[in-house]
Amino acid sequence: MTIADWLGAWGGLRDGNLASNAMTGAIKEPPPPVHPYYPLGVAIPNYEANCATVPMLLVSLGGMLASVMLLMGTLALRVSPSLTKSKLAVFCWFVLCGSLHCFFEGYFVFNHATVASSQNLFAQLWKEYALSDSRYLTSDPFMLSVENITVFVWGPLSFACAASIVMNSHLRHPLQIIMCMAHLYGVAMYYSTSLVETHFTCLAHSRPEFLYFWVYYVGFNLPWAVVPACLLFDSVNTLRRQLRSLETIRAGLAGFQAHTPLNNANTTSETKKGQ
Amino acid sequence: MTIADWLGAWGGLRDGNLASNAMTGAIKEPPPPVHPYYPLGVAIPNYEANCATVPMLLVSLGGMLASVMLLMGTLALRVSPSLTKSKLAVFCWFVLCGSLHCFFEGYFVFNHATVASSQNLFAQLWKEYALSDSRYLTSDPFMLSVENITVFVWGPLSFACAASIVMNSHLRHPLQIIMCMAHLYGVAMYYSTSLVETHFTCLAHSRPEFLYFWVYYVGFNLPWAVVPACLLFDSVNTLRRQLRSLETIRAGLAGFQAHTPLNNANTTSETKKGQ
């Protein structure tokens, strides 16, 4: 299933209706949709409605993610008992990102062609989310590209960021900047491609209801703009402060070395030797 | 002009040929294309062939970019005469990026709808480059999204990176990591969206000749994968080394402070006072 197919199907549906309307002179209602996704007429073959309710799906995913974060948070405190609350929160954020990227989005990457007809937990969650962005059920080239990079690069890197916090590594802030940039650029591209396409083709990928557009599409992705922006600011600021400290200390040490009596004595004897 | 329109036009052209072949029973050649772009049949209204030759176009762009880099390089050496050769090279790289992003890609963002029919230098350069990627002449939503972000965010940030090198700023390496990540993610998305779309729809955006696919499409974009990868590695490594130095110096100072006679005397007197 390609973008060309569904645009063709949508064009055919629309043209067919126009032609029959012109012939009969009557306004004819379009046939009832076989699925609830936008844009109307988009081809999603073998679609099967979810059998679980939305609260059930959300509680299942929330429970899984909370368990992973609780387990990993406990493990982190065992490895590094001096971990501050803010560091633990950032650690949990990267564990959350890594889990979603590697497992939830990983499921999509390997099963994008069959999500619409599947009934397992991840497939049903994707079908529910796709009400706000049908590109997840149409093997859209942009979604496949961004999700492949997310699963195979940003997922493991999120776990590396989490590990660097626990290990108090010097790589923590450089890695955090890389990861935050990936999230910020990714979410900017995600929002903008969809909005630009809607602007130029007048076809929206999201259902228009408040829940789907504002809560699912805007709200569920917004944390990946807000949190990385805060973490990016914090990392850049921390690195700037530390590099300034290093410069100040080095300048102080150089001054100290130049003015110590021991150093002056050494310099005098060396001068004498040189003469 | 939208992606839906051109897919529709392509479908119509193909179906028309099939129908006429079926009626006459003869294999009929498709009508001569009105433009040289791929995929065959893609709608590029008001297309006008370039009036300048390719060497003329390349020399003009190369001359402009070389002049800007020469001017900015000279200015940088005036401001900071101790600038090393490697720093000057990185400075020139970011000036090159900033100039291309703000001016060349800026022209595309503001004129994407009329590039095909224009004859000014930048329009002719885009028409030549579009032989390797026709999305630049079809107002493709992905291209518009990525180019808007590039022009308004990465362009100014490239100049900020260049300035931070001349000013020997503590922000240099954090900014360099941000900019390199933007280039790496951008070029990965640029290559992958096109290749994934070709894989799923069998429609290529590049002409198949070696010059257009390998030199223009792959070659002209490759520096934005190779150079940022090297600079990213250098920045992460430099920061790691400097943070390790800071830790070593601080540990050394703490040890020195604990063992100096002056410190011991103070500690003793303080202890006495406390008693």
Side-chain angles (χ1 to χ4, degrees), chain A residues 144-164:
Chain A
L144 286 180
S145 301
V146 81
E147 288 296 351
N148 267 286
I149 296 172
T150 302
V151 169
F152 294 108
V153 185
W154 310 140
L157 209 63
S158 294
F159 285 124
C161 282
S164 74

Side-chain angles (χ1 to χ4, degrees), chain B residues 27-75:
Chain B
I27 295 165
K28 200 173 161 186
E29 285 296 311
V34 289
H35 61 68
Y37 299 99
Y38 268 60
L40 293 172
V42 60
I44 300 173
N46 308 320
Y47 168 73
E48 276 183 35
N50 279 350
C51 53
T53 62
V54 178
M56 261 171 70
L57 292 173
L58 291 180
V59 166
S60 304
L61 181 69
M64 280 169 64
L65 291 173
S67 308
V68 170
M69 284 198 285
L70 196 70
L71 182 74
M72 296 293 277
T74 312
L75 210 69

